[in-house]
Amino acid sequence: MAPHLKADEDRITYWKSKLQAQTSNKTVGICWRSGLLGNMRDMSYITAENIVEIFVDIDCTVINLQYDYTGDEIILIQSALGNRFINFTDIDLRNDLDDLAALMKALDLVFSVNTSVMTLAGAIGANTLCPAWIGTLGKSFNIMLPTVKSIIGSKTIRENSEHYKTEINKALSIL
């Protein structure tokens, strides 16, 4: 199925060259929570600590797609992953959806909880893994977002880091 939206090819090329200038590893974009937090919503998101647990041993470069990150979250991830973490500050991850779409298409994989980042990634046809997202009718996929695969674990979303790590490694190995 063709994607619903198309990212600008010139911007994809721009982001690919920017990524290649900084890393030769496979690249994974990450989004761990929504900007809207509180009560039941928090149960659907992971934390920056989870991101560290998941990616500390995966051979890839992690690209920040979280638009409303805190300085503490970035410091935590940066100190754990070092030069395997890139936080581009020259893109408005919240408001510049054209550039965000192009950046996501330039990546090898997107790992995002169920937020607008995950939906945009699916709409442009980016290879995407979504922790604990329940697809249509309880399936691990959604027919409207065929490139988004749910990773449904046996524990709460924040207790499945090992499961997510396995699925990310599996996805990266076939790219």
Side-chain angles (χ1 to χ4, degrees), residues 91-107:
I91 179 175
D92 182 346
L93 294 167
R94 181 180 193 142
N95 297 307
D96 190 348
L97 298 181
D98 291 330
D99 235 14
L100 176 59
L103 172 56
M104 287 192 289
K105 279 300 278 189
L107 300 170

Side-chain angles (χ1 to χ4, degrees), residues 35-87:
L36 300 174
L37 300 174
N39 299 327
M40 297 299 287
R41 291 183 66 86
D42 291 354
M43 294 175 17
S44 299
Y45 306 132
I46 58 178
T47 64
E49 290 84 1
N50 292 126
I51 292 296
V52 169
E53 291 171 12
I54 293 164
F55 286 96
V56 71
D57 296 322
I58 297 178
D59 185 22
C60 68
T61 298
V62 176
I63 312 302
N64 182 37
L65 302 176
Q66 181 67 50
Y67 66 81
D68 66 341
Y69 56 83
T70 67
D72 288 344
E73 289 171 325
I74 296 301
I75 289 168
L76 174 72
I77 298 169
Q78 183 72 56
S79 60
L81 301 182
N83 64 357
R84 292 187 312 110
F85 176 68
I86 299 173
N87 180 38

Side-chain angles (χ1 to χ4, degrees), residues 120-158:
L120 181 59
I124 62 169
N127 188 17
T128 306
L129 294 177
C130 182
W133 177 62
I134 306 295
T136 305
L137 302 174
K139 305 286 185 198
S140 64
F141 64 92
N142 180 320
I143 194 165
M144 297 301 291
L145 304 171
T147 61
V148 176
K149 178 186 176 201
S150 297
I151 309 171
I152 303 169
S154 59
K155 302 175 184 176
T156 69
I157 189 168
R158 293 186 182 164

